[in-house]
């Protein structure tokens, strides 16, 4: 429960994926009026744009370090943001894409601050999956869509529905469990192929997708076969999209539960 007598507050906003054009009007308003702005943004161009809207902007990227656990980095970032709120400031945390998707610092800070009686909220933003659907031209409502962080999926043994699209985020970190580096290995990618081969043939089409940062860029859309994944040039923003192997099929036993028959669908 929040205590309105505490002056400090936090609003987590998303800047969208493509620079400047994908931030919402409400998020931009909070950004411009904040007394202190922190950010975790992908490049200097994005940071300069945010700073042009609010000169108080401070990047939190300095807290990353090779060999340092990202778990510790995220805790350090959370504490920097929370301390500014405790100091009585109206704080905005600006995050790339959607502030709550593959971005834990906003969640951590909101939970901590609410527990301390401060006002804290998150506003929605344009995320990478929104760009992906637009650029690849498919509707997840047509066949269904399942999405996992790549390493989480690879380690969990979760079965895949091959009649739906599969999205594996952060494929460039596939199998990386130490949280101390920002790239995967050839061995990890070969293991990824073996696991995906349980559901998809080695010649099944895969798509490597990367959303553009700036309006003049084009999205990266590389199509290749599953067996060739270890040879692909992966980056920290690469996403693996796997088209369905089969279409959705009607299930007789399920239809029976509704008193329907397959013939009812023509």
């Amino acid at each position: 429960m929040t205590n309105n007598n505490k002056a400090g507050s936090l609003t987590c906003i998303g800047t969208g994926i493509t620079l400047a054009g994908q931030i919402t009007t409400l998020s931009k308003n909070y950004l411009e009026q904040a007394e202190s702005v922190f950010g975790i943004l992908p490049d200097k161009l994005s940071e300069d744009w945010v700073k042009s809207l609010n000169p108080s902007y401070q990047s939190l990227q300095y807290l990353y370090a090779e060999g340092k656990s990202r778990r510790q980095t995220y805790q350090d970032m959370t504490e920097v943001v929370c301390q500014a709120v405790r100091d009585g400031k109206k704080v905005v945390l600006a995050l790339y894409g959607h502030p709550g998707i593959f971005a834990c610092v906003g969640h951590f800070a909101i939970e901590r601050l609410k527990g301390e009686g401060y006002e804290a909220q998150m506003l929605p933003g344009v995320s990478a999956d929104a760009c992906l659907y637009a650029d690849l031209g498919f509707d997840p409502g047509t066949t269904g869509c399942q999405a996992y962080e790549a390493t989480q999926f690879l380690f969990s043994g979760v079965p895949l529905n091959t009649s739906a699209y599969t999205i594996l985020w952060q494929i460039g970190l596939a199998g990386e469990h130490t949280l101390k580096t920002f790239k995967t290995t050839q061995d990890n990618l070969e293991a990824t192929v073996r696991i995906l081969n349980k559901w998809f043939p080695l010649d099944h089409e895969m798509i490597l997708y990367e959303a553009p940062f700036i309006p003049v860029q084009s999205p990266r859309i590389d199509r290749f076969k599953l067996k060739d994944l270890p040879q692909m040039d992966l980056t920290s923003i690469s996403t693996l999209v796997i088209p369905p192997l089969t279409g959705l099929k009607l299930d007789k036993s399920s239809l029976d539960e509704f008193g329907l028959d397959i013939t009812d669908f023509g």
Side-chain angles (χ1 to χ4, degrees):
M1 186 175 181
T2 58
N3 180 351
N4 292 331
N5 291 326
K6 293 194 172 184
S9 66
L10 171 66
T11 298
C12 298
I13 68 167
T15 61
I17 302 298
T18 302
L19 178 65
Q22 292 181 344
I23 189 171
T24 68
T25 301
L26 182 60
S27 292
K28 187 177 180 182
N29 184 55
Y30 272 96
L31 174 60
E32 292 173 331
Q33 295 186 20
E35 295 173 318
S36 185
V37 178
F38 297 97
I40 309 171
L41 301 173
D43 52 35
K44 188 176 185 299
L45 194 61
S46 300
E47 293 183 337
D48 288 346
W49 176 74
V50 171
K51 192 174 292 186
S52 72
L53 298 176
N54 192 315
S56 73
Y57 172 80
Q58 300 176 62
S59 172
L60 296 176
Q61 294 281 6
Y62 73 93
L63 291 167
Y64 283 113
E66 189 72 26
K68 178 183 178 181
S69 171
R70 289 195 291 281
R71 288 192 184 93
Q72 184 59 52
T73 297
Y74 300 148
Q75 290 298 329
D76 292 344
M77 290 177 171
T78 300
E79 186 55 30
V80 170
V81 172
C82 289
Q83 188 54 55
V85 174
R86 296 184 193 112
D87 291 342
K89 296 179 180 179
K90 292 182 179 179
V91 177
V92 159
L93 175 61
L95 299 166
Y96 173 62
H98 186 295
I101 299 179
F102 288 95
C104 61
V105 175
H107 290 297
F108 290 164
I110 289 172
E111 181 179 10
R112 187 174 302 178
L113 289 168
K114 282 187 173 180
E116 296 176 10
Y118 292 94
E119 291 187 357
Q121 65 174 337
M122 180 178 289
L123 303 181
V126 175
S127 57
D129 59 343
C131 298
L132 184 152
Y133 298 138
D135 290 333
L136 295 185
F138 76 87
D139 181 352
T142 302
T143 62
C145 184
Q146 55 206 331
Y148 298 96
E149 194 279 329
T151 300
Q152 179 190 71
F153 161 74
L154 294 168
F155 288 178
S156 68
V158 175
L160 291 178
N161 174 8
T162 58
S163 67
Y165 276 88
T166 299
I167 299 175
L168 296 182
W169 303 105
Q170 298 182 328
I171 191 64
L173 294 174
E176 204 301 293
H177 67 285
T178 68
L179 300 182
K180 293 183 178 181
T181 186
F182 292 90
K183 57 186 177 181
T184 188
T185 65
Q186 186 80 6
D187 287 345
N188 285 349
L189 292 176
E190 290 172 357
T192 300
V193 171
R194 291 193 295 272
I195 290 175
L196 290 175
N197 189 215
K198 295 177 182 178
W199 293 279
F200 301 98
L202 291 174
D203 62 354
H204 187 67
E205 181 182 81
M206 306 275 129
I207 303 171
L208 204 61
Y209 173 78
E210 295 178 7
F213 280 153
I214 56 178
V216 295
Q217 290 178 333
S218 297
R220 178 185 180 184
I221 303 174
D222 291 342
R223 301 177 186 273
F224 61 98
K225 295 179 179 180
L226 170 58
K227 63 183 179 181
D228 297 325
L229 176 61
Q231 282 71 55
M232 298 302 294
D233 180 22
L234 304 178
T235 73
S236 60
I237 64 168
S238 296
T239 297
L240 183 66
V241 180
I242 309 176
L245 182 63
T246 61
L248 281 174
K249 298 178 180 179
L250 295 172
D251 178 68
K252 185 178 184 307
S253 62
S254 297
L255 292 176
D256 288 343
E257 297 293 335
F258 294 90
L260 298 173
D261 187 84
I262 290 178
T263 58
D264 293 329
F265 295 86

